RNA sequence: CGGUGAUUAGCGCAGCUUGGUAGCGCACUUGGUUUGGGUCCAAGGGGUCGCAAGUUCGAAUCUUGCAUCACCGACCA
C-alpha cells in the first residue's frame, strides 16, 4: 500500500473528548472516528488491526472444533419473549418495530437465535457435542458509553455456543475453550489473566473472565499474592475473620449526633475509627404471600463496600438489587437514611461476616440525629443471619487459603460460561437420547470482545510517541520511508524496487511515497505503531544498505538491500 | 437516571462580561524555500456560531425551550 492511495488520517492534536490513552491514540493514529455516542467508524488502519484480531480468534476457534456461522443482527421479539428476556434484559436491549409494527430487537447476544437454530437442526444425540461461533456486530444500548471502542454501544464480538447432552461433556468443551482463549491471548501478545467470575442469575457451575491488566480497566480483580488465585471482585469471597468476637467492655449508650449522616461524619463527630462503625443499608426484598415487598437490612462495617452481586444471590433480596426509597426507609426505620441501625428493626437483618465480628461498635439508633455507641451483638441485638456481603479489600486473606488479596484493574476481553439448560429449556432444544427419549440439552457460551481487544492492546502497548503494536496485530508489518525521494532518483528507484519486491512476496508494507519531510513521516509511523521502518537515504545507498528501525526496541541498524527479504521469513 | 460542563471551519480553541462586517493555531490549496526527526515565507479556500422561538434597528453575544456530546455520580444509612 502506498500512502498516496491510503487514508492515513493522523492527527497532531488530541481530540478533547478522548479520556483514556487508547481512545486518544486510536483517534490520533487514524484508527477510528466517532459517529455518535458509542458508535465508531473503523478507518483503514483500524480495520486492518481489527481483522487481524478477528483472524486469530477465528483460527483458534476453528482449532477448538467450533463451526463458524453468521446470525442476523435483527431478531424478532417473540424469540426474546420465549426466553423471558424481553422482560428481563432491561433498557440495554434496543427494541424497534418494522413497517408492519412488528417488534424486533438489535441483538446484544445470540443465545435465543442459536438455541432456536439448534433446536430445529438437531434431532439425535449422535450429533453432539456441537460448537458454533460467529464474529459479528452486537448492539447494547449502554447507559454510559465511554473510552471509545472500549465500551461502545455497537461493537464486534466473537460469540460461541456449545451444545451437550451431559454436564461432563460440557465441562470437557469448557476446558477446550479455556485453553483456546489462552492461546488467543498469548498469540495477541497481551498480558492477561483468566479470573473466576460470577455466574450471574443464570446459575451454572463455572465461569471465567479473561482480563487484560491495565489501570484504565473498569473491573477490579482480586489476586492472591501467594498463589495463582484470581477472581473478579464481584466473585471473590471475603472469608470470616479468624479471630473470635471480643467480649463487650462498654455499655450501650445513645448519643445525640445532630446533622451527622455519613460514616465519615460519624467517625469524625465521635472521634472513632470507621472500622468500629457499622452501616445499615435497606434494600427491597422479595414479594411475600401478601403481595408486599418488605425491606431487608444489610449490616456492614463502615469501611467496607456492599457487593451487589453477592447480595443479589441472597434469597430474601430482590433482583435486580434496589435500594429503598426515602419514604420506605422512614416507614420501616422511623428515621432518615443516616441514622439507621440494626437494633429494633422488625425486618430481616443480614450481617456481613466482618461486621458480625465487631464488639463495642457504633450504629444508627433508628431515630434522627442519634447513634448508639458501645453496641454488642447478642447482648444488644440478636444475630439472625450472617453472610458474605462485602467486596474484598487489599490485605484480606485470599479465599484460596494462601496469601493476601491484591487488587488490580482489568479490562474484560473474554468471558466463558457454563450456561446449563436455561435457554435449551425455554426454547425446547432437545434431541433423542440413546434410549429414544427426548432430552433437553445443556449449553456453554463463550464470548470475546474483538473490538475491545484493539483498545486493550493499545492500553498495554504505547509510549509518548504512539502505539507499539504487538507484531501479530500491527496494521502493517513494515513501512518504507524514503528520504527526499523527490530529489534523489536513486532513493526513489530503490524504494520502488523494494516496495515491489516486498509486495510481491505478500508482505504487508506501507510505502510512504508522500512528498513530506522525514520528521513528518517518522512521527506518523511511530504514532501508528508500525513495527519496522525501512529507511532509504542517499547516505547508505553507496553501500547498498537501508537503515532499519525497530518500533518496540527503538534500535537502529543497517542491512544490505539484498537481505531485506530475509527479515520476513 | 441525577449532577456538572460544553456545543463557533475537518481538529484544538478565542470572541460572549459591555449586542454593531466571525478570528487564531493545526490541517487543506497555490507559489517559493527547506530536506535524516512535525522547515520557513507569502497568497488563498473553507463557518446559517448545535436547533427553535423571543428581546432588539441590529444577536455568536441577552432570554426561554429543545437537542447533542463529554465528565462525575448512582455506597445513602
Amino acid at each position: 500500500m502506498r500512502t498516496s492511495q491510503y487514508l492515513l488520517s493522523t492527527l497532531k492534536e488530541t481530540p478533547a473528548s478522548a479520556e483514556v490513552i487508547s481512545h486518544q491514540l486510536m483517534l490520533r493514529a487514524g484508527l477510528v472516528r466517532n459517529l455518535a455516542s458509542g458508535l465508531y467508524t473503523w478507518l483503514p488502519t483500524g480495520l486492518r488491526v481489527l481483522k487481524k484480531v478477528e483472524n486469530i480468534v477465528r483460527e483458534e476457534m476453528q482449532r477448538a472444533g467450533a463451526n463458524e456461522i453468521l446470525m442476523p443482527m435483527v431478531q424478532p421479539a417473540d424469540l426474546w419473549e420465549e426466553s423471558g428476556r424481553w422482560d428481563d434484559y432491561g433498557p440495554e436491549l434496543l427494541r424497534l418495530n418494522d413497517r408492519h409494527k412488528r417488534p424486533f430487537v438489535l441483538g446484544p447476544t445470540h443465545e435465543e437465535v442459536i438455541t432456536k437454530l439448534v433446536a430445529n437442526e438437531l434431532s439425535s444425540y449422535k450429533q453432539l457435542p456441537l460448537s458454533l461461533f460467529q464474529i459479528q456486530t452486537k448492539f447494547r444500548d449502554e447507559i454510559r458509553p465511554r473510552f471509545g471502542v472500549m465500551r461502545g454501544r455497537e461493537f464486534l464480538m466473537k460469540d460461541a455456543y456449545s451444545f451437550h447432552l451431559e454436564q461432563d461433556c460440557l465441562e470437557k468443551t469448557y476446558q477446550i475453550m479455556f485453553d483456546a482463549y489462552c492461546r488467543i491471548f498469548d498469540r495477541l501478545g497481551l498480558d492477561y489473566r483468566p479470573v473466576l467470575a460470577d455466574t450471574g442469575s443464570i446459575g451454572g457451575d463455572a465461569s471465567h473472565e479473561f482480563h487484560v491488566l491495565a489501570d484504565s480497566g473498569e473491573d477490579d480483580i482480586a489476586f492472591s499474592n501467594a498463589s495463582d488465585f484470581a477472581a473478579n471482585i464481584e466473585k471473590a469471597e471475603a472469608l470470616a475473620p479468624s479471630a473470635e468476637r471480643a467480649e463487650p467492655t462498654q455499655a450501650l449508650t445513645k448519643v445525640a449526633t445532630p446533622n451527622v449522616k455519613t460514616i465519615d461524619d460519624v467517625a469524625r463527630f465521635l472521634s472513632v475509627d470507621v472500622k468500629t462503625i457499622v452501616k445499615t443499608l435497606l434494600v427491597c426484598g422479595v414479594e411475600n404471600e401478601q403481595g408486599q415487598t418488605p425491606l431487608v437490612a444489610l449490616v456492614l462495617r463502615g469501611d467496607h463496600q456492599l457487593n451487589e452481586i453477592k447480595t443479589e444471590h441472597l434469597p430474601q433480596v430482590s433482583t435486580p438489587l434496589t435500594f429503598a426509597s426515602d419514604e420506605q426507609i422512614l416507614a420501616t426505620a422511623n428515621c432518615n437514611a443516616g441514622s439507621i441501625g440494626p437494633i429494633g428493626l422488625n425486618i430481616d437483618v443480614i450481617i456481613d461476616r466482618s461486621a458480625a465480628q465487631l464488639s463495642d461498635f457504633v450504629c444508627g439508633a433508628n431515630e434522627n440525629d442519634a447513634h448508639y455507641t458501645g453496641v454488642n451483638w447478642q447482648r444488644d441485638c440478636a444475630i439472625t443471619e450472617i453472610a458474605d456481603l462485602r467486596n474484598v479489600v487489599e490485605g484480606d486473606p485470599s479465599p484460596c487459603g494462601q496469601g493476601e488479596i491484591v487488587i488490580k484493574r482489568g479490562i474484560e476481553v473474554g468471558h466463558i460460561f457454563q450456561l446449563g439448560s436455561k435457554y435449551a429449556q425455554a426454547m425446547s432444544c432437545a434431541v433423542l437420547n440413546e434410549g429414544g427419549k427426548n432430552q433437553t440439552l445443556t449449553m456453554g457460551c463463550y464470548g470475546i470482545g474483538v473490538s475491545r481487544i484493539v483498545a486493550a492492546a493499545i492500553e498495554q502497548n504505547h509510549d509518548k510517541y504512539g502505539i507499539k503494536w504487538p507484531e501479530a496485530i500491527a496494521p502493517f508489518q513494515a513501512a518504507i520511508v524514503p528520504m527526499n525521494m523527490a530529489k534523489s532518483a536513486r532513493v526513489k528507484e530503490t524504494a520502488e524496487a523494494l516496495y515491489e519486491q516486498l509486495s510481491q512476496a505478500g508482505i504487508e508494507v506501507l510505502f510512504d511515497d508522500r512528498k513530506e519531510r522525514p520528521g513528518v513521516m517518522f512521527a506518523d509511523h511511530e504514532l501508528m505503531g508500525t513495527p519496522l521502518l525501512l529507511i532509504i537515504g542517499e547516505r547508505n545507498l553507496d553501500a547498498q544498505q537501508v537503515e532499519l528501525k525497530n518500533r518496540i526496541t527503538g534500535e537502529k541498524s543497517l542491512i544490505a538491500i539484498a537481505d531485506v527479504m530475509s527479515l520476513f521469513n
Side-chain angles (χ1 to χ4, degrees):
Chain A
M1 181 57 67
R2 293 167 184 267
T3 50
S4 57
Q5 298 170 349
Y6 189 72
L7 186 61
L8 210 55
S9 293
T10 53
L11 302 173
K12 265 191 190 176
E13 285 171 298
T14 303
S17 60
E19 180 78 356
V20 295
I21 189 72
S22 61
H23 189 199
Q24 292 173 1
L25 288 173
M26 288 185 82
L27 292 169
R28 286 229 294 137
L31 271 59
V32 294
R33 288 292 180 261
N34 179 255
L35 178 66
S37 180
L39 302 175
Y40 291 85
T41 296
W42 289 79
L43 300 179
T45 310
L47 189 61
R48 280 174 168 265
V49 178
L50 191 67
K51 290 285 179 196
K52 291 200 171 184
V53 175
E54 195 183 310
N55 282 334
I56 289 174
V57 171
R58 176 176 290 112
E59 283 172 19
E60 294 301 335
M61 290 314 291
Q62 286 170 343
R63 196 209 290 225
N67 303 263
E68 185 166 10
I69 61 170
L70 186 60
M71 290 178 270
M73 189 182 172
V74 177
Q75 309 173 9
D78 51 7
L79 268 187
W80 285 72
E81 276 165 4
E82 205 174 329
S83 71
R85 289 208 289 186
W86 178 258
D87 295 321
D88 294 347
Y89 205 91
E92 282 183 16
L93 181 63
L94 186 70
R95 299 148 208 253
L96 51 136
N97 293 313
D98 71 2
R99 63 166 72 194
H100 306 295
K101 301 281 183 282
R102 276 195 287 261
F104 288 83
V105 305
L106 281 190
T109 173
H110 281 70
E111 280 86 2
E112 281 81 0
V113 179
I114 193 119
T115 308
K116 199 68 179 174
L117 176 81
V118 169
N120 290 334
E121 297 305 314
L122 296 197
S123 45
S124 162
Y125 73 97
K126 293 175 191 167
Q127 294 168 291
L128 296 174
L130 181 69
S131 296
L132 301 168
F133 79 100
Q134 65 171 349
I135 297 173
Q136 193 229 28
T137 298
K138 297 280 186 279
F139 191 93
R140 294 182 188 172
D141 199 357
E142 292 283 348
I143 184 169
R144 189 174 157 200
R146 59 183 144 178
F147 303 157
V149 299
M150 195 102 85
R151 181 173 291 282
R153 291 195 291 176
E154 191 179 299
F155 58 98
L156 192 65
M157 181 173 174
K158 185 282 298 176
D159 47 325
Y161 307 85
S162 67
F163 296 84
H164 315 266
L165 208 56
E166 305 291 351
Q167 174 68 18
D168 60 345
C169 178
L170 168 58
E171 284 169 17
K172 275 184 201 132
T173 299
Y174 185 84
Q175 188 58 47
I176 289 170
M177 290 294 180
F178 185 100
D179 295 341
Y181 273 43
C182 290
R183 271 199 306 277
I184 287 168
F185 296 115
D186 283 339
R187 283 183 63 186
L188 290 169
L190 298 173
D191 181 16
Y192 71 97
R193 297 285 187 288
V195 308
L196 289 170
D198 185 71
T199 46
S201 52
I202 304 162
D205 294 322
S207 176
H208 286 85
E209 290 169 352
F210 287 75
H211 282 262
V212 165
L213 300 182
D215 291 338
S216 59
E218 295 187 272
D219 289 289
D220 283 313
I221 312 298
F223 294 88
S224 164
N225 62 2
S227 79
D228 289 338
F229 176 84
N232 193 305
I233 197 147
E234 291 175 349
K235 173 81 175 171
E237 184 181 4
L239 298 177
S242 49
E244 289 288 304
R245 182 165 59 236
E247 289 301 312
T249 63
Q250 299 175 6
L252 180 68
T253 312
K254 189 192 284 183
V255 295
T257 51
N259 286 320
V260 171
K261 292 193 166 59
T262 68
I263 290 290
D264 285 342
D265 290 346
V266 175
R268 214 173 302 119
F269 186 82
L270 297 174
S271 299
V272 295
D273 190 331
V274 291
K275 291 178 181 172
T276 66
I277 306 171
V278 302
K279 55 184 173 186
T280 309
L281 314 176
L282 299 184
V283 299
C284 296
V286 293
E287 200 174 277
N288 60 21
E289 299 85 30
Q290 289 84 46
Q292 299 158 319
T293 55
L295 298 183
V296 175
L298 308 170
V299 180
L300 290 132
R301 220 168 74 182
D303 59 322
H304 285 152
Q305 289 215 317
L306 182 70
N307 182 309
E308 299 194 8
I309 301 292
K310 292 176 184 174
T311 307
E312 283 183 352
H313 287 330
L314 295 170
Q316 299 95 325
V317 173
S318 75
T319 306
L321 185 66
T322 314
F323 284 90
S325 66
D326 291 345
E327 297 75 38
Q328 288 174 304
I329 292 173
L330 194 60
T332 301
N334 290 314
C335 66
N336 295 323
S339 300
I340 311 173
I343 300 176
L345 284 180
N346 59 353
I347 54 174
D348 283 343
V349 177
I350 303 170
I351 304 154
D352 179 67
R353 289 168 173 171
S354 296
Q357 194 249 358
L358 294 176
S359 56
D360 294 336
F361 59 89
V362 176
C363 69
N366 295 323
E367 180 182 325
N368 279 341
D369 299 329
H371 281 75
Y372 285 118
T373 64
V375 187
N376 283 277
W377 293 116
Q378 304 299 25
R379 187 192 71 182
D380 308 318
C381 181
I383 291 181
T384 49
E385 180 173 354
I386 296 176
D388 175 20
L389 295 179
R390 68 175 176 94
N391 284 337
V392 291
V393 295
E394 294 216 340
D396 279 347
S398 171
C400 69
Q402 293 175 51
E404 292 182 349
I405 292 289
V406 178
I407 291 174
K408 290 183 188 166
R409 303 288 280 178
I411 302 167
E412 183 188 342
V413 289
H415 195 169
I416 60 175
F417 213 112
Q418 292 182 20
L419 259 187
S421 56
K422 173 183 161 129
Y423 295 96
Q425 198 115 49
M427 322 293 288
S428 305
C429 183
V431 297
L432 293 185
N433 63 19
E434 228 169 334
K437 294 256 167 59
N438 235 7
Q439 185 170 340
T440 301
L441 302 187
T442 186
M443 294 169 59
C445 76
Y446 318 90
I448 286 185
V450 177
S451 45
R452 183 180 279 181
I453 283 173
V454 177
I458 296 171
E459 288 291 329
Q460 266 187 1
N461 299 282
H462 65 271
D463 61 16
K464 64 177 174 173
Y465 301 110
I467 304 167
K468 297 163 79 169
W469 290 115
E471 221 167 294
I473 57 174
F476 294 95
Q477 292 171 271
I480 296 172
V481 186
M483 300 291 104
N484 300 314
M485 191 168 74
K487 284 279 171 66
S488 166
R490 271 213 303 179
V491 168
K492 184 171 167 58
E493 278 163 25
T494 309
E496 290 280 1
L498 198 54
Y499 174 59
E500 190 59 31
Q501 192 187 3
L502 292 173
S503 299
Q504 289 294 325
I507 313 289
E508 294 171 294
V509 60
L510 182 62
F511 177 18
D512 201 337
D513 61 347
R514 292 176 296 175
K515 196 185 169 201
E516 284 289 355
R517 296 166 56 82
V520 174
M521 298 191 198
F522 288 134
D524 276 344
H525 294 296
E526 275 155 12
L527 182 57
M528 286 201 299
T530 311
L532 185 65
L533 297 189
L534 305 167
I535 303 162
I536 300 171
E538 275 290 336
R539 64 163 75 149
N540 297 314
L541 278 187
D542 286 340
Q544 283 294 298
Q545 288 179 321
V546 298
E547 183 179 330
L548 300 180
K549 180 156 185 194
N550 184 305
R551 176 68 178 95
I552 307 297
T553 63
E555 285 167 356
K556 293 180 186 176
S557 58
L558 290 170
I559 184 171
I561 293 170
D563 294 338
V564 167
M565 282 301 295
S566 67
L567 294 169
F568 299 97
N569 291 333

